[in-house]
Amino acid sequence: MKLATLKTGDRDGILVVVNRELTKAKLVPTIALTLQAALDNWSEVEHELREAYRQINESKGEFIPFDSYKVTAPLPRAYQWLDGSAYLSHVERVRKARGAEMPENLYSDPLMYQGASDNMLGACDPIEVASEAWGIDFEAEVGVITDDVEYGVSINDAGSHIKLIVLINDVSLRNLIPDELAKGFGFLHGKPASAFSPVAVTPDELGAAWENTKLHLPLTVAWNGQLFGEANAGEDMQFSFAKLIHHAAKSRKLAAGTIIGSGTVSNVDSTTGYSCIVEKRVVEIIETGVAITEFMRFGDKIRIEMLDGQGDSIFGAIEQEVKPCR
Amino acid sequence: MKLATLKTGDRDGILVVVNRELTKAKLVPTIALTLQAALDNWSEVEHELREAYRQINESKGEFIPFDSYKVTAPLPRAYQWLDGSAYLSHVERVRKARGAEMPENLYSDPLMYQGASDNMLGACDPIEVASEAWGIDFEAEVGVITDDVEYGVSINDAGSHIKLIVLINDVSLRNLIPDELAKGFGFLHGKPASAFSPVAVTPDELGAAWENTKLHLPLTVAWNGQLFGEANAGEDMQFSFAKLIHHAAKSRKLAAGTIIGSGTVSNVDSTTGYSCIVEKRVVEIIETGVAITEFMRFGDKIRIEMLDGQGDSIFGAIEQEVKPCR
């Protein structure tokens, strides 16, 4: 099943079911007005939503054209956004760039930060930043959206709470990050609003590519029309999504609609390219002594997408342009 | 004006206007069903809410008894919770306890972390923790709730976005914090759900005690019935709430319903006592070489309240008991 949130005059938009080919959408106001409302009552509404999905794929009933430029994030404002760092090759390269030490216990204890969830960007919303000097970077990620997760959930039980999967552009302002990480309190200025794929999909939609709560497909990242990376999201993911949820819920429950990110998808084999600029810069420094690739400028475009085995887009594409915010 | 959210079977509860003496409440479903809905349209609903407040104070119309045990947090789930550390005597003492360095620029650049907002506790909800060994502590704070704040808001403009003021118990698990702060990504396990005062009040309700976006009154903290602290929240607050909002909005806008905390209220003069246990422990270590006061145990009770010049409770009391979570 594929779900999206259409932009309306309202802050929360309106839930639609989208067909597998991402060409048609159907409003489902009698089932749930918003995705948050659906997640709040997932066990009660899932069956009806799946029935609407079956109908739209069989072209039964009335539909509207689906347009990625008319959607907001699946959850345009969410109650929780937690971002892990499950790909350790990303962590190693980024820390090398900052001259930061690798934390102890890194292979057993995931890095995760509490991110801002009050304003989530639609797939084609601009990345608005006050200054290019802040070091504008993209981070292509996979994310999951949960229903209610109990306090201290086990790894075995955590996977069953994954209701939806999304792609995420976790926009990062690299030049603001070192100072605030030095303060020890996590990200505040360095991680402005993230953007989400046009649709969120249920795990069954991914077939065999979804295994052990990892998504075994390449994540395609193109910067200004040039392929920048196609790392496989299922490889080198040290912590599965089940493990990340278990980690997040150690000392508290998680409310329905919690979004948990994988962290920047990254493979140890750097020939698959990169899902963020800073990793490429570090490799350049190691190889040539100096970073050659600059961060994003106003007018730059980023495209993040994942294709299935048949070459069809699963989530639709994140397609954003960087703009000055005033 | 005083507002609260009654518990219902629903996740979001229902908004009520509460009289000044905190004895009566009035449902206002024709104005706004929830506090979030009111904040989303504050300029449109404020006048009507104030009219309902005038009526309840004049005993006009129908009311229900107000009971702090029947409220949830003013925003039982919020889109953003940012906690500052505006009282530097707290920061100095806590860091001393952890053996951590004081960050540079501390006097001009506020510490602030992105906290979990998916599950906010009502004033009398229990503090449920899996283990006493995690070092259960309270932190008594003042907080503000904003409407929509523009990207990069100036300090001068920031104050006008403060719509409501609350008291907060920012529960902390001291023994989980050092390891996660060492990782640099902020708090995840060490800061479980926070609790809020029964009512949120508009700034005008505070009279002369609200000056330059600081609240100049003592915050009373009692642990198991014993007075533990009565630090004045208006003294030694290095960063006003306007400054904290300005800081938070440096690289992004903030959505209506954003909650910003002062950090643990603390005075340089330690004879006013403490608003958290860890500060007392540090002073004990300095004075005697060893921490005498233990952290909270199951069954312990904490009460946080602020009285006005006439000795009346402004926000009602946070009254929580620590319980094992399973």
XYZ file of all heavy atoms in Angstrom, chain A residues 129-217:
670
model
N 17.505 28.229 2.948
C 18.599 28.438 3.899
C 19.010 29.907 3.836
O 19.001 30.513 2.768
C 19.795 27.518 3.565
C 20.920 27.707 4.574
C 19.362 26.054 3.530
N 19.363 30.459 4.986
C 19.713 31.883 5.029
C 21.053 32.174 4.368
O 21.252 33.235 3.788
C 19.724 32.372 6.475
N 21.992 31.231 4.441
C 23.349 31.526 3.958
C 24.002 30.300 3.337
O 24.012 29.225 3.943
C 24.202 32.027 5.120
O 25.562 32.091 4.746
N 24.595 30.479 2.165
C 25.371 29.390 1.553
C 26.594 29.051 2.407
O 27.118 27.948 2.345
C 25.833 29.807 0.153
C 24.719 29.875 -0.890
C 25.234 30.341 -2.252
O 26.236 31.105 -2.276
O 24.647 29.953 -3.273
N 27.039 30.030 3.181
C 28.256 29.827 3.984
C 28.055 28.796 5.091
O 29.027 28.351 5.709
C 28.704 31.151 4.594
N 26.788 28.415 5.344
C 26.542 27.423 6.381
C 26.879 25.993 5.934
O 26.813 25.069 6.721
C 25.072 27.514 6.852
C 24.812 28.723 7.694
C 25.749 29.582 8.219
C 23.537 29.223 8.134
N 25.126 30.572 8.947
C 23.782 30.382 8.921
C 22.227 28.802 7.946
C 22.751 31.112 9.507
C 21.205 29.540 8.540
C 21.465 30.691 9.309
N 27.245 25.820 4.647
C 27.670 24.487 4.196
C 26.500 23.547 3.978
O 26.340 22.543 4.682
N 25.689 23.859 2.967
C 24.430 23.127 2.735
C 24.713 21.758 2.124
O 25.326 21.654 1.060
C 23.503 23.943 1.807
C 23.287 25.355 2.378
C 22.168 23.217 1.619
C 22.808 26.364 1.336
N 24.255 20.725 2.781
C 24.479 19.356 2.313
C 23.155 18.595 2.361
O 22.253 18.929 3.124
C 25.516 18.663 3.215
C 26.162 17.436 2.564
O 25.764 17.062 1.440
O 27.069 16.867 3.208
N 23.049 17.586 1.509
C 21.931 16.655 1.584
C 22.394 15.405 2.317
O 23.601 15.167 2.452
C 21.417 16.297 0.176
C 22.510 15.963 -0.808
C 23.042 14.674 -0.889
C 23.020 16.945 -1.653
C 24.050 14.373 -1.788
C 24.029 16.648 -2.560
C 24.548 15.361 -2.627
N 21.448 14.622 2.814
C 21.734 13.285 3.351
C 20.578 12.391 2.945
O 19.455 12.565 3.437
C 21.848 13.295 4.887
C 23.089 13.953 5.431
C 23.373 13.598 6.897
O 22.462 13.072 7.573
O 24.495 13.850 7.360
N 20.818 11.453 2.052
C 19.770 10.546 1.587
C 19.667 9.365 2.545
O 20.657 8.696 2.829
C 20.064 10.074 0.169
N 18.457 9.143 3.017
C 18.220 8.124 4.037
C 16.970 7.311 3.732
O 16.109 7.737 2.965
C 17.997 8.784 5.412
C 19.057 9.767 5.816
C 18.967 10.135 7.290
O 18.052 9.615 7.979
O 19.809 10.918 7.736
N 16.851 6.193 4.414
C 15.605 5.448 4.494
C 15.043 5.687 5.896
O 15.812 5.843 6.853
C 15.848 3.937 4.261
C 14.556 3.136 4.416
C 16.468 3.709 2.890
N 13.717 5.755 6.007
C 13.114 5.935 7.326
C 11.902 5.037 7.488
O 11.333 4.552 6.501
N 11.521 4.823 8.738
C 10.299 4.057 9.014
C 9.382 4.897 9.907
O 9.845 5.787 10.627
C 10.592 2.704 9.712
C 11.454 1.826 8.819
C 11.244 2.900 11.078
N 8.097 4.625 9.802
C 7.104 5.277 10.661
C 6.410 4.192 11.468
O 5.964 3.180 10.910
C 6.080 6.076 9.829
C 6.802 7.077 8.905
C 5.094 6.811 10.749
C 5.871 7.879 7.992
N 6.335 4.404 12.774
C 5.803 3.365 13.667
C 4.392 3.695 14.150
O 3.945 4.829 14.068
C 6.696 3.205 14.922
O 6.501 4.323 15.788
C 8.158 3.085 14.562
N 3.749 2.673 14.669
C 2.559 2.901 15.497
C 3.053 3.060 16.950
O 4.242 3.326 17.167
C 1.536 1.757 15.319
C 2.069 0.406 15.769
O 3.249 0.301 16.183
O 1.307 -0.574 15.713
N 2.187 2.905 17.923
C 2.610 3.031 19.316
C 3.594 1.922 19.686
O 3.316 0.740 19.467
C 1.389 2.948 20.242
C 0.510 4.179 20.145
O 1.021 5.288 20.339
O -0.687 4.017 19.851
N 4.714 2.299 20.252
C 5.751 1.339 20.650
C 5.835 1.350 22.170
O 5.951 2.416 22.788
C 7.115 1.721 20.037
C 8.199 0.761 20.511
C 7.031 1.746 18.521
N 5.820 0.163 22.767
C 5.830 0.078 24.220
C 7.230 0.380 24.783
O 8.240 0.153 24.130
C 5.351 -1.306 24.688
C 6.202 -2.486 24.258
C 5.757 -3.110 22.939
O 5.153 -2.406 22.103
O 6.048 -4.312 22.730
N 7.220 0.873 26.006
C 8.444 1.161 26.774
C 9.331 -0.084 26.774
O 8.886 -1.180 27.087
C 8.007 1.500 28.194
C 9.024 2.103 29.137
C 8.841 3.389 29.630
C 10.124 1.392 29.570
C 9.736 3.950 30.534
C 11.032 1.948 30.463
C 10.831 3.227 30.949
O 11.723 3.773 31.837
N 10.586 0.084 26.394
C 11.541 -1.016 26.483
C 11.284 -2.163 25.532
O 11.660 -3.309 25.808
N 10.696 -1.887 24.380
C 10.360 -2.945 23.419
C 11.607 -3.781 23.075
O 12.711 -3.250 22.954
C 9.734 -2.330 22.140
C 10.754 -1.534 21.343
C 9.106 -3.408 21.267
N 11.409 -5.098 22.932
C 12.530 -5.972 22.558
C 12.838 -5.826 21.068
O 11.996 -5.365 20.293
C 12.175 -7.426 22.861
O 11.163 -7.863 21.962
N 14.038 -6.218 20.673
C 14.383 -6.178 19.238
C 13.420 -7.076 18.464
O 12.958 -6.713 17.379
C 15.840 -6.639 19.016
C 16.801 -5.658 19.699
C 16.156 -6.729 17.521
C 18.261 -6.036 19.574
N 13.078 -8.230 19.028
C 12.175 -9.150 18.334
C 10.801 -8.549 18.074
O 10.202 -8.799 17.034
C 12.005 -10.445 19.139
C 13.168 -11.384 18.930
O 13.942 -11.212 17.983
N 13.309 -12.359 19.807
N 10.314 -7.773 19.031
C 8.974 -7.189 18.867
C 8.992 -5.874 18.097
O 7.954 -5.433 17.595
C 8.337 -6.941 20.243
C 7.986 -8.241 20.960
O 7.921 -9.284 20.280
O 7.786 -8.202 22.186
N 10.148 -5.240 18.024
C 10.200 -3.876 17.479
C 9.782 -3.829 16.010
O 9.112 -2.893 15.570
C 11.603 -3.291 17.648
N 10.174 -4.847 15.250
C 9.902 -4.824 13.810
C 8.424 -4.737 13.472
O 8.032 -4.119 12.472
N 7.584 -5.330 14.332
C 6.143 -5.348 14.052
C 5.525 -3.953 14.150
O 4.390 -3.750 13.716
C 5.438 -6.289 15.030
O 5.470 -5.740 16.338
N 6.253 -3.004 14.720
C 5.730 -1.639 14.850
C 6.018 -0.776 13.618
O 5.582 0.364 13.552
C 6.292 -0.978 16.104
C 5.792 -1.609 17.365
N 4.494 -1.468 17.796
C 6.401 -2.430 18.263
C 4.329 -2.151 18.923
N 5.464 -2.745 19.229
N 6.763 -1.325 12.670
C 7.052 -0.570 11.444
C 5.849 -0.668 10.523
O 5.559 -1.729 9.979
C 8.316 -1.128 10.752
C 9.518 -0.975 11.675
C 8.539 -0.417 9.411
C 10.776 -1.679 11.168
N 5.147 0.429 10.359
C 3.935 0.428 9.531
C 4.201 0.974 8.144
O 3.545 0.558 7.180
C 2.833 1.257 10.215
C 2.413 0.703 11.567
C 2.014 -0.766 11.472
C 1.850 -1.406 12.839
N 1.802 -2.888 12.741
N 5.135 1.892 8.028
C 5.397 2.548 6.750
C 6.894 2.804 6.593
O 7.622 2.940 7.584
C 4.648 3.885 6.678
C 3.113 3.790 6.663
C 2.500 5.155 6.932
C 2.618 3.219 5.325
N 7.309 2.896 5.330
C 8.705 3.171 5.014
C 8.744 4.358 4.055
O 7.880 4.492 3.179
C 9.365 1.912 4.408
C 9.312 0.788 5.461
C 10.800 2.186 3.981
C 9.285 -0.585 4.872
N 9.725 5.225 4.237
C 9.858 6.453 3.435
C 11.319 6.670 3.055
O 12.221 6.043 3.611
C 9.385 7.697 4.244
C 7.876 7.686 4.451
C 10.116 7.797 5.586
N 11.548 7.556 2.109
C 12.885 8.104 1.874
C 12.931 9.499 2.500
O 11.912 10.187 2.578
C 13.186 8.209 0.376
C 13.079 6.921 -0.433
C 13.491 7.199 -1.886
C 13.933 5.812 0.164
N 14.109 9.892 2.919
C 14.281 11.172 3.624
C 15.511 11.896 3.098
O 16.543 11.264 2.830
C 14.448 10.929 5.149
C 13.239 10.172 5.719
C 14.644 12.248 5.895
C 13.389 9.735 7.174
N 15.387 13.209 2.927
C 16.558 14.055 2.755
C 16.762 14.835 4.047
O 16.071 15.814 4.306
C 16.396 15.014 1.569
C 17.641 15.873 1.386
O 18.692 15.592 1.963
N 17.531 16.919 0.573
N 17.714 14.373 4.837
C 18.016 15.001 6.121
C 19.015 16.135 5.863
O 20.226 15.965 5.998
C 18.605 13.942 7.059
C 19.006 14.511 8.410
O 18.268 15.361 8.934
O 20.060 14.107 8.921
N 18.471 17.291 5.492
C 19.318 18.434 5.126
C 20.231 18.806 6.294
O 19.794 18.857 7.444
C 18.429 19.638 4.739
C 19.282 20.858 4.424
C 17.525 19.276 3.556
N 21.499 19.037 5.985
C 22.479 19.338 7.035
C 23.250 20.603 6.683
O 23.587 20.828 5.526
C 23.453 18.163 7.185
O 22.758 17.000 7.603
N 23.501 21.412 7.693
C 24.289 22.639 7.525
C 25.649 22.381 8.170
O 25.850 22.577 9.366
C 23.552 23.819 8.160
C 22.140 24.044 7.591
C 21.398 25.134 8.355
C 22.193 24.371 6.095
N 26.574 21.877 7.334
C 27.820 21.301 7.856
C 28.645 22.278 8.678
O 29.287 21.880 9.655
C 28.676 20.788 6.689
C 28.058 19.663 5.904
C 27.942 18.388 6.724
N 27.234 17.364 5.942
C 26.666 16.313 6.491
N 26.706 16.112 7.801
N 26.037 15.425 5.737
N 28.645 23.541 8.285
C 29.540 24.473 8.974
C 28.987 24.942 10.319
O 29.699 25.586 11.081
C 29.859 25.662 8.065
C 30.604 25.212 6.816
O 31.231 24.153 6.806
N 30.530 26.004 5.760
N 27.723 24.613 10.588
C 27.146 24.944 11.901
C 27.269 23.779 12.889
O 27.031 23.954 14.086
C 25.659 25.319 11.754
C 25.334 26.504 10.844
C 23.833 26.795 10.880
C 26.117 27.747 11.251
N 27.603 22.607 12.373
C 27.551 21.403 13.216
C 28.715 21.273 14.209
O 28.486 20.958 15.378
C 27.395 20.136 12.334
C 25.973 20.106 11.746
C 27.698 18.874 13.123
C 25.701 18.942 10.800
N 29.957 21.523 13.805
C 31.048 21.264 14.773
C 30.883 22.029 16.086
O 31.036 21.452 17.167
C 32.301 21.713 14.004
C 31.936 21.520 12.569
C 30.471 21.895 12.478
N 30.532 23.318 16.008
C 30.382 24.099 17.241
C 29.290 23.543 18.134
O 29.449 23.463 19.357
C 30.055 25.563 16.919
C 31.307 26.352 16.560
O 32.411 25.772 16.670
O 31.170 27.515 16.168
N 28.167 23.143 17.524
C 27.095 22.699 18.410
C 27.323 21.285 18.919
O 26.938 20.987 20.046
C 25.695 22.920 17.818
C 25.326 22.156 16.624
C 23.909 22.585 16.161
O 23.330 23.537 16.698
O 23.400 21.929 15.239
N 27.973 20.438 18.145
C 28.281 19.106 18.682
C 29.312 19.211 19.813
O 29.287 18.408 20.750
C 28.773 18.172 17.583
C 27.701 17.660 16.616
C 28.203 16.457 15.843
C 26.393 17.303 17.323
N 30.167 20.220 19.740
C 31.148 20.414 20.818
C 30.450 20.715 22.138
O 30.982 20.429 23.211
C 32.100 21.550 20.461
N 29.247 21.279 22.063
C 28.487 21.588 23.266
C 27.821 20.347 23.861
O 27.335 20.378 24.991
C 27.430 22.658 22.959
C 28.040 24.012 22.606
C 27.081 24.885 21.817
C 26.019 25.495 22.678
N 25.114 26.371 21.887
N 27.764 19.257 23.079
C 27.315 17.975 23.621
C 25.822 17.743 23.627
O 25.361 16.662 23.986
N 25.048 18.752 23.232
C 23.590 18.655 23.354
C 22.916 18.282 22.041
O 21.692 18.404 21.910
C 23.014 19.973 23.890
C 23.007 20.069 25.389
C 23.949 19.401 26.152
C 22.044 20.817 26.057
C 23.950 19.479 27.541
C 22.028 20.893 27.453
C 22.980 20.229 28.188
N 23.689 17.829 21.055
C 23.093 17.378 19.797
C 22.887 18.504 18.807
O 23.472 19.578 18.923
N 22.040 18.220 17.810
C 21.849 19.139 16.694
C 20.689 20.091 16.951
O 19.619 19.677 17.379
C 21.527 18.354 15.421
C 22.592 17.380 15.025
C 22.484 16.039 15.358
C 23.701 17.791 14.311
C 23.458 15.124 14.994
C 24.693 16.888 13.940
C 24.568 15.547 14.282
N 20.888 21.346 16.664
C 19.790 22.300 16.742
C 19.809 23.163 15.476
O 18.856 23.191 14.715
C 19.922 23.148 18.001
C 18.725 24.026 18.302
C 17.534 23.212 18.756
C 19.084 25.057 19.371
N 20.940 23.816 15.229
C 21.059 24.670 14.040
C 21.482 23.889 12.805
O 21.169 24.272 11.684
C 22.092 25.768 14.290
C 21.708 26.685 15.410
N 22.622 27.312 16.210
C 20.488 27.059 15.872
C 21.992 28.064 17.111
N 20.699 27.904 16.936
N 22.201 22.814 13.002
C 22.807 22.101 11.870
C 21.865 21.197 11.118
O 22.216 20.682 10.056
N 20.677 20.968 11.665
C 19.716 20.069 11.026
C 18.370 20.772 10.899
O 17.485 20.610 11.748
C 19.558 18.792 11.868
C 20.836 17.958 12.012
C 21.101 17.102 10.786
C 22.238 16.125 11.026
N 22.498 15.276 9.835
N 18.213 21.581 9.838
C 16.902 22.221 9.615
C 15.904 21.190 9.087
O 16.169 19.986 9.128
C 17.218 23.287 8.579
C 18.379 22.736 7.815
C 19.175 21.921 8.805
N 14.764 21.639 8.594
C 13.682 20.732 8.190
C 14.147 19.681 7.179
O 14.852 19.985 6.221
C 12.530 21.552 7.600
N 13.722 18.450 7.387
C 13.985 17.344 6.468
C 12.852 17.235 5.452
O 11.733 17.678 5.695
C 14.070 16.024 7.247
O 15.117 16.056 8.187
N 13.175 16.625 4.300
C 12.158 16.388 3.263
C 11.901 14.893 3.126
O 12.779 14.075 3.403
C 12.610 16.966 1.933
N 10.700 14.563 2.668
C 10.274 13.163 2.602
C 9.827 12.796 1.192
O 9.388 13.647 0.413
C 9.132 12.933 3.601
C 9.609 12.953 5.018
C 9.934 14.152 5.634
C 9.793 11.780 5.737
C 10.418 14.187 6.934
C 10.270 11.797 7.038
C 10.582 13.005 7.641
N 9.920 11.509 0.876
C 9.459 11.016 -0.428
C 7.968 11.295 -0.588
O 7.236 11.417 0.400
C 9.742 9.515 -0.550
O 9.244 8.811 0.577
N 7.493 11.390 -1.839
C 6.071 11.674 -2.074
C 5.142 10.687 -1.385
O 4.101 11.079 -0.860
C 5.949 11.590 -3.596
C 7.310 11.928 -4.110
C 8.269 11.364 -3.096
N 5.512 9.402 -1.393
C 4.644 8.424 -0.740
C 5.403 7.659 0.338
O 6.625 7.540 0.307
C 4.032 7.399 -1.739
C 3.234 8.111 -2.827
C 5.088 6.499 -2.334
N 4.632 7.163 1.293
C 5.108 6.212 2.296
C 4.491 4.870 1.921
O 3.333 4.818 1.496
C 4.641 6.638 3.689
N 5.270 3.789 2.056
C 4.764 2.484 1.617
C 4.804 1.483 2.760
O 5.660 1.565 3.653
C 5.567 1.938 0.403
C 5.716 3.010 -0.682
C 6.922 1.394 0.811
N 3.894 0.527 2.721
C 3.901 -0.536 3.726
C 5.011 -1.540 3.386
O 5.396 -1.675 2.218
C 2.538 -1.239 3.775
O 2.130 -1.554 2.445
C 1.487 -0.346 4.424
N 5.525 -2.236 4.396
C 6.655 -3.147 4.159
C 6.388 -4.189 3.074
O 7.296 -4.519 2.286
C 6.867 -3.805 5.528
C 6.375 -2.798 6.517
C 5.210 -2.131 5.844
N 5.159 -4.716 2.996
C 4.861 -5.759 2.007
C 5.057 -5.274 0.579
O 5.277 -6.065 -0.331
C 3.417 -6.249 2.185
C 2.416 -5.118 2.012
O 2.367 -4.239 2.887
O 1.704 -5.089 0.993
N 4.974 -3.958 0.404
C 5.141 -3.370 -0.931
C 6.557 -3.585 -1.471
O 6.800 -3.487 -2.671
C 4.844 -1.872 -0.832
C 4.488 -1.185 -2.114
C 3.168 -1.685 -2.692
O 2.221 -1.970 -1.926
O 3.113 -1.805 -3.930
N 7.493 -3.873 -0.582
C 8.903 -3.988 -0.962
C 9.304 -5.418 -1.291
O 10.421 -5.657 -1.757
C 9.775 -3.442 0.171
C 9.464 -1.989 0.533
C 10.083 -1.627 1.874
C 9.953 -1.047 -0.558
N 8.400 -6.366 -1.059
C 8.681 -7.763 -1.380
C 9.930 -8.256 -0.678
O 10.179 -7.931 0.491
N 10.735 -9.020 -1.412
C 11.922 -9.631 -0.826
C 13.001 -8.613 -0.495
O 13.948 -8.920 0.244
C 12.487 -10.679 -1.786
N 12.875 -7.385 -1.007
C 13.889 -6.357 -0.720
C 13.848 -5.925 0.745
O 14.808 -5.354 1.261
C 13.695 -5.147 -1.627
N 12.702 -6.162 1.393
C 12.574 -5.844 2.825
C 12.837 -7.102 3.620
O 12.032 -8.027 3.653
C 11.175 -5.313 3.120
C 10.931 -4.905 4.553
C 10.155 -5.555 5.467
C 11.445 -3.753 5.224
N 10.151 -4.876 6.660
C 10.939 -3.761 6.541
C 12.300 -2.707 4.840
C 11.249 -2.769 7.478
C 12.600 -1.727 5.771
C 12.078 -1.761 7.071
N 13.992 -7.177 4.250
C 14.372 -8.397 4.956
C 15.059 -8.024 6.260
O 15.994 -7.208 6.267
C 15.325 -9.226 4.081
C 15.472 -10.649 4.594
C 16.528 -11.430 3.814
O 17.097 -10.879 2.865
O 16.785 -12.571 4.213
N 14.612 -8.636 7.334
C 15.181 -8.336 8.652
C 15.185 -6.834 8.935
O 16.155 -6.290 9.465
C 16.599 -8.913 8.772
C 16.588 -10.426 8.721
O 15.644 -11.071 9.183
N 17.620 -11.002 8.116
N 14.119 -6.184 8.579
C 13.931 -4.725 8.754
C 15.087 -3.908 8.184
O 15.489 -2.888 8.743
C 13.646 -4.339 10.229
O 14.803 -4.528 11.040
C 12.484 -5.144 10.806
N 15.603 -4.380 7.055
C 16.530 -3.582 6.241
C 15.991 -3.577 4.810
O 15.354 -4.539 4.377
C 17.945 -4.176 6.249
C 18.605 -4.199 7.607
C 20.028 -4.765 7.498
C 20.681 -4.877 8.869
N 22.081 -5.393 8.776
N 16.276 -2.513 4.077
C 15.769 -2.359 2.721
C 16.916 -2.569 1.727
O 17.785 -1.703 1.568
C 15.143 -0.960 2.562
C 14.565 -0.590 1.202
C 13.741 -1.713 0.605
C 13.735 0.671 1.314
N 16.895 -3.730 1.071
C 18.027 -4.155 0.243
C 17.906 -3.681 -1.201
O 17.726 -4.489 -2.113
C 18.163 -5.677 0.314
C 18.502 -6.185 1.683
N 19.794 -6.465 2.078
C 17.725 -6.416 2.774
C 19.798 -6.866 3.337
N 18.552 -6.849 3.790
N 17.996 -2.388 -1.409
C 17.948 -1.811 -2.757
C 18.865 -0.591 -2.807
O 19.088 0.066 -1.787
C 16.516 -1.383 -3.112
C 15.528 -2.503 -3.486
C 14.125 -1.932 -3.598
C 15.944 -3.217 -4.772
